[in-house]
Each structure stands twice: as structure tokens, then as C-alpha cells.
Amino acid sequence: RERKKPALPADPVARDVEDRTNVKLPRWVEWGIIIAIFLVALGLRIFRLDDWTGAMHGDEGEFGMYALSIVNGDHVSPFMTGWFYHPNFSFFAIAGMMKIFGTGLFGLRILSALLGALMVLPFYGLVRLWFGVRMAVIASLLLAFMDVSLYFGKLGLNNIETPFFIVTGLYFFFKGIRSLRTLDFVLAGYAFMLTLYF
């Protein structure tokens, strides 16, 4: 509980690297940039999503079959585990997407594509909180093109959900530390909980 003593900077006129690199943009320009990055990420993940020539992972087939059983009306508890001890929330989410987009390869993979692209939004907010706008734009662009994120964002598995919910939880947690709003901490808690359910 020691209180920090106020310290004078060694060089009061020196500017920190954060001050020199922190870009100030109008709100509408910043929103335009992040929406453009999101659309690029989404396009890269949806492009040829249902293409059989890229092959299909064997586990995708298992996920698809289990999700199909939910679509066909099998009574499965969302709070239990299913195939190979994976949490059933994953299969329910995939089954929900299959009801909307069909039971083909596109319907199986679209949840991963959407969450892989959506991860750019809380990631941008998190990096912006820590390092400012310039670094948030650079880091979000790198995430949009990152090979691992692209790979798992195009597979009908539950691998992309964990980083999505972790990044979302971290964003709301650090936002809550700054704002001290209870809602931010509650949303962080739910996001972290969903990493376990998925």
C-alpha cells in the first residue's frame, strides 16, 4: 500500500516515443479504418470458404456430424461435452449457423470465419487502450492477414472461439480498469466464461 511519490521527469521538455507516435484521428476516420480492416479480414476468411479443393480436416467432419445431429433434433445438453469431450456450446453455435447458411461446408465453417473477422474489433480496441491509434491500426492489419488466424478462421472447428473471447474479455477488463464501470467487468467475466464453454 505504499503510495508512489511524485517524480519529476529527468528532461521535462523531452517527448516520449508514445507522444511522438500517437496519431490523433477524427472519430469518423478511425471508424472508417477499423471497418475497412474488418471487411478485409471477413473477405479473406469467406473467400472460397466452401471450396472442397482445399481439403477438409477430419475433425471438421466430426464437428459437422455432431452439429447435424443437433440440427436434426437430437436432445443434447448445451452444458455437457460432446464429441471428444469438446463443450457442446461449440456444436450448438455451429448448428445455429447451419440452420441459417445450410448444412454444407459453408454452413459448417461460417461461424469460424465470422468470429475470426470479428476478433479484429476488440483487438483494435485493446491495442488502442494500451498503445494508441497508430499501433492499433498496424496490429489489427497484421491480425487480419495473420496466417494462423486465417487458417483457423476457415475451419469448422472451435479453435478460433477461444482467442476471440479472450481478446474480448481483455478489452473489457482493461476498459473497466480505466472507466471503473461495473458493466465492463461483467462483460469481461462473461467473455472469459465463454472461452471455457466453447
Side-chain angles (χ1 to χ4, degrees):
R1 295 180 182 266
E2 180 185 359
R3 291 186 181 174
K4 290 179 73 174
K5 296 179 176 66
L8 295 174
D11 188 356
V13 295
R15 293 177 67 209
D16 291 330
V17 67
E18 288 87 1
D19 298 328
R20 292 195 310 269
T21 58
N22 192 15
V23 177
K24 303 289 184 195
L25 295 174
R27 230 3 162 189
W28 66 272
V29 172
E30 190 175 351
W31 274 104
I33 290 171
I34 188 58
I35 289 170
I37 294 171
F38 165 73
L39 291 175
V40 166
L42 183 63
L44 287 171
R45 283 152 182 80
I46 287 183
F47 178 69
R48 297 179 68 174
L49 190 61
D50 58 349
D51 190 351
W52 284 99
T53 59
M56 181 179 182
H57 195 281
D59 290 355
E60 276 187 291
E62 297 289 350
F63 266 75
M65 294 304 293
Y66 202 83
L68 273 175
S69 70
I70 294 171
V71 169
N72 293 332
D74 284 0
H75 296 288
V76 176
S77 170
F79 302 104
M80 301 294 286
T81 56
W83 172 78
F84 214 68
Y85 302 106
H86 286 276
N88 281 343
F89 261 54
S90 305
F91 303 114
F92 271 90
I94 292 171
M97 291 292 112
M98 284 181 159
K99 286 183 179 179
I100 298 169
F101 295 100
T103 57
L105 202 53
F106 188 87
L108 172 63
R109 292 176 170 172
I110 188 64
L111 178 68
S112 295
L114 291 174
L115 291 181
L118 281 172
M119 185 169 37
V120 167
L121 303 178
F123 184 74
Y124 180 90
L126 180 64
V127 176
R128 188 182 190 280
L129 281 173
W130 286 346
F131 303 109
V133 173
R134 180 174 184 244
M135 187 59 69
V137 170
I138 294 169
S140 299
L141 266 173
L142 290 174
L143 177 64
F145 288 96
M146 186 169 63
D147 56 349
V148 175
S149 180
L150 270 170
Y151 176 75
F152 286 109
K154 292 174 84 74
L155 281 182
L157 301 173
N158 61 354
N159 298 95
I160 202 72
E161 284 91 338
T162 302
F164 170 77
F165 287 119
I166 286 174
V167 168
T168 303
L170 287 172
Y171 167 69
F172 283 115
F173 178 73
F174 282 100
K175 187 178 174 206
I177 287 175
R178 288 195 179 183
S179 70
L180 297 179
R181 286 182 7 189
T182 304
L183 178 62
D184 289 327
F185 290 110
V186 169
L187 292 172
Y190 275 105
F192 289 136
M193 176 212 51
L194 286 171
T195 63
L196 301 175
Y197 275 110
F198 277 88

